[in-house]
Amino acid sequence: MTRGVLVGRRPAPGEVADAYDAVVIGSGAGGLTTAVCLARQGRRVAVFEQHYTAGGYTHAYRRRGWEWDVGIHYVGQLAPREPVRVLSDYLTGGALRWAPLGDPYDEYRLAGEVHRAPVGFDAHRAGLIARFPAERAGIEALFRLIARCRAVLPALALGRLSGPVARRLARLLRAAAVPPEALRPAREVVAGLVRDERLRQAVLTPSVLLLADSSSRLPFFLLAVLFEHFRTGAWYPVGGSAAIARALAEPVRAAGGEVFVRTPVARITLDGTRATGVVLADGTRVRAPVVVSAAGAHHTYRTLLPRPSGAAPEPDPLEGLRNGYPFVLLFLGLDGDPAELGLPRHNLMVTDGDCDAFFDAGAGKGVLDGGTGPAPGGGPAGSAAPTSGLFLSFSCAKDPTWTARHPGRSTGEILAYVDPELFAPFRGSRWRDRDPDYLALKAALTERLLDRLYRELPRTRGRVAYHELGTPLTAEHFAGWPGGSLYGLAKDVAAFGDGHGPGLADRLRPRTAHDGLYLSGQDVLAGGFMGAVTGGLLAAHEALDRRGRARLWTGLLASATGRSRGASDLA
């Protein structure tokens, strides 16, 4: 019998205890990672999620018999003893299984030119040299630099921790393993190595579309992180992305805690500068010596924490930081199985030209294809900037259990970034009670996305039986990210710094200025699934005492030295 998509449960009246060892606000990958790490050290943890199901951007939902994942399209570093595999096996005891996507794991269609991302640095490098033989020296220099950046993210993560030993180690690792190019804009670094513009686009496009910003603002090391992250391939959770939250909830319950859904937190309570617990939206007070917010730094500091009183306001840790780019996501329900429709296991990224132009030009009021038709919202013909590009993903083709669970049906998603101002006129309206102009804008965007789908995958024409479009307002409603950002705060060169001084995001450490209050998730370090779980791990480290930390890292080391039972790959 197939288990449902819903994860977590709504508490019965009076069920929420008045005290726990720890409270976690938000049930995304970061919050659940922190909760499990604490639970595995014997802590009784309550996770409070405002949505009807746990998982954050890893959750799945069903409508009219179709099932969609809202955020997880693939994950890397899941080969034996790689970082994400080690953490996955430690957190779930090997219960969470992953299916490899195969080779290639990505396909880029750049102005009609097709590139495929093969598994392995050698294959990737050789493929680029075969296509651009005149750029051999630059391509080889590029991959050497990418290899030199492998320790940048660990160095930055270590630098987010408190304590003199961690800070000293971070400085040593940063001095030894962070090349100066790592924190410079990716476009600038790549332009200094290769001359061919088509090659530059082939190198930069994945980072731009996956990290949602211009390569003139993304630091080069994030491009290198993507290469390293998928160096051994990409994987997808068996049973769909809801399997992630389901597997992470079990250790929390085993330690006496629970994942509560439909239970929003109204505010964090303080006694002076110490966090003492939370107040739920229904007025229930919950005490805890450890409070972890995985609801995003903006929501934590601007909504959940009481406003400081007195003449001297506290420094604003969010000052100068940008919100990440918002997006629209078209969910597709198709008649026919994945093989019949020709749906790929790998992801498709599609652009009509310069992948940066959309972000650099202010996004062109949401025109998604760079065409000459009128922009949604009434802009003049031909006034739009080129597209941000599209990201197409078909979880039905990736999950080996899909056909048995949903015979004769397929689902997919198309993601595109939009101008942050495009949906601004409708901000403040209520879900399911939107302005007619909002619905018209959604319809125009949907038509453009469907047209592109049919051009890229012609066998889908006439087979789309259901579709619905999620907008930045949808994301803001369900996930709480301001403006509907995919990755929370922007992960740009200003956030990480230039290598000589601290970046703006250095203020967002897992240990906050309030004793007992910790940040978890994507805003702690980096975006995406890997960034979220890393932020969750860092928050758990800071929240534990010395003995708990020792047990945490000993457990991770044990996971790294031997495969957990039940964690084998599926073909």
Side-chain angles (χ1 to χ4, degrees):
M1 179 178 176
T2 303
R3 298 183 66 180
V5 175
L6 297 182
V7 179
R9 60 182 181 82
R10 191 170 189 168
E15 180 185 3
V16 175
D18 65 353
Y20 292 88
D21 296 325
V23 163
V24 175
I25 307 167
S27 69
L32 288 176
T33 294
T34 304
V36 174
C37 288
L38 298 178
R40 290 205 176 280
Q41 317 320 317
R43 274 49 168 188
R44 183 170 175 244
V45 184
V47 179
F48 295 119
E49 168 60 50
Q50 60 93 22
H51 196 18
Y52 64 76
T53 185
Y57 277 138
T58 72
H59 87 268
Y61 79 101
R62 288 180 182 155
R63 189 94 77 226
R64 302 185 185 182
W66 280 282
E67 178 182 315
W68 294 275
D69 294 347
V70 300
I72 289 292
H73 302 120
Y74 57 172
V75 178
Q77 292 189 312
L78 278 157
R81 296 180 177 81
E82 284 196 305
V84 180
R85 169 68 74 180
V86 169
L87 190 54
S88 173
D89 287 353
Y90 171 76
L91 293 173
T92 71
L96 181 58
R97 298 180 297 156
W98 300 87
L101 266 59
D103 193 356
Y105 58 87
D106 269 336
E107 180 178 318
Y108 321 126
R109 299 180 180 179
L110 314 181
E113 188 172 9
V114 177
H115 298 259
R116 293 183 176 88
V119 174
F121 273 10
D122 291 343
H124 210 145
R125 180 173 54 238
L128 290 176
I129 290 173
R131 179 166 287 194
F132 303 96
E135 294 280 6
R136 172 186 287 271
I139 293 169
E140 291 178 343
L142 173 67
F143 277 85
R144 285 195 299 271
L145 180 57
I146 288 170
R148 289 173 57 205
C149 290
R150 285 176 175 170
V152 174
L153 199 61
L156 294 175
L158 195 58
R160 290 287 201 266
L161 297 178
S162 61
V165 175
R167 296 287 177 84
R168 191 176 302 115
L169 288 174
R171 285 195 297 269
L172 292 173
L173 184 58
R174 189 160 180 161
V178 179
E181 299 93 337
L183 297 171
R184 285 166 48 195
R187 183 197 296 178
E188 175 187 317
V189 174
V190 172
L193 295 173
V194 299
R195 296 182 300 275
D196 191 300
E197 183 59 27
R198 290 164 51 242
L199 173 56
R200 293 177 186 174
Q201 291 298 318
V203 171
L204 293 171
T205 293
S207 60
V208 170
L209 293 186
L210 290 172
L211 300 175
D213 211 339
S214 169
S215 63
S216 67
R217 291 187 289 269
L218 292 170
F220 176 80
F221 85 86
L222 285 180
L223 178 149
V225 164
L226 286 179
F227 272 89
E228 176 66 20
H229 188 63
F230 295 114
R231 179 171 56 87
T232 58
W235 286 258
Y236 183 80
V238 175
S241 66
I244 297 172
R246 193 156 49 233
L248 292 174
E250 291 305 318
V252 175
R253 295 190 181 109
E258 185 55 270
V259 178
F260 294 113
V261 299
R262 298 183 185 271
T263 313
V265 171
R267 68 181 186 276
I268 297 167
T269 57
L270 300 176
D271 182 2
T273 61
R274 169 169 286 280
T276 58
V278 299
V279 176
L280 304 181
D282 66 0
T284 301
R285 290 182 173 269
V286 182
R287 293 176 293 116
V290 170
V291 177
V292 180
S293 177
H298 191 283
H299 187 59
T300 302
Y301 285 104
R302 299 285 168 82
T303 304
L304 296 178
L305 279 171
R307 293 189 178 276
S309 58
E314 297 179 6
D316 182 2
L318 303 179
E319 183 178 358
L321 289 165
R322 299 165 47 231
N323 286 331
Y325 251 84
F327 64 102
V328 292
L329 191 58
L330 182 63
F331 298 98
L332 305 165
L334 302 102
D335 286 330
D337 63 38
E340 177 189 356
L341 299 173
L343 303 179
R345 295 179 74 189
H346 58 261
N347 302 294
L348 294 180
M349 300 184 203
V350 183
T351 69
D352 285 333
D354 182 356
C355 58
D356 283 327
F358 170 88
F359 298 100
D360 290 339
K365 297 301 178 188
V367 174
L368 302 174
D369 61 3
T372 58
S383 66
T387 178
S388 69
L390 308 180
F391 183 95
L392 294 86
S393 175
F394 300 92
S395 55
C396 58
K398 301 172 186 178
D399 180 6
T401 72
W402 175 271
T403 302
R405 294 190 295 123
H406 302 284
R409 288 193 163 199
S410 296
T411 57
E413 303 86 42
I414 307 177
L415 182 146
Y417 302 103
V418 294
D419 188 326
E421 298 304 314
L422 183 62
F423 286 89
F426 313 110
R427 194 161 290 131
S429 60
R430 295 175 62 84
W431 184 51
R432 292 180 173 173
D433 187 24
R434 305 291 195 194
D435 189 284
D437 287 344
Y438 171 84
L439 301 179
L441 175 58
K442 286 182 62 173
L445 294 169
T446 297
E447 182 180 357
R448 289 176 176 268
L449 291 172
L450 287 173
D451 178 68
R452 197 54 184 261
L453 169 71
Y454 301 145
R455 278 192 275 162
E456 301 300 329
L457 297 170
R459 286 157 68 180
T460 63
R461 186 179 294 275
R463 308 301 291 273
V464 176
Y466 180 80
H467 58 73
E468 63 179 68
L469 186 77
T471 73
L473 273 62
T474 315
E476 193 168 17
H477 173 82
F478 286 110
W481 295 105
S485 167
L486 187 60
Y487 298 126
L489 296 171
K491 311 302 188 283
D492 57 15
V493 289
F496 287 104
D498 59 4
H500 301 292
L504 297 176
D506 280 9
R507 302 188 295 251
L508 299 177
R509 300 176 181 275
R511 181 183 292 272
T512 74
H514 299 278
D515 293 338
L517 175 62
Y518 306 90
L519 286 181
S520 177
Q522 297 186 101
D523 284 341
V524 170
L525 183 63
F529 180 79
M530 183 184 69
V533 298
T534 301
L537 179 62
L538 296 177
H541 170 93
E542 293 286 66
L544 288 165
D545 56 22
R546 183 175 299 179
R547 183 179 178 186
R549 292 175 183 175
R551 293 179 60 186
L552 170 63
W553 293 104
T554 299
L556 285 166
L557 181 61
S559 180
T561 55
R563 295 292 294 276
S564 297
R565 184 164 51 93
S568 60
D569 293 332
L570 295 187

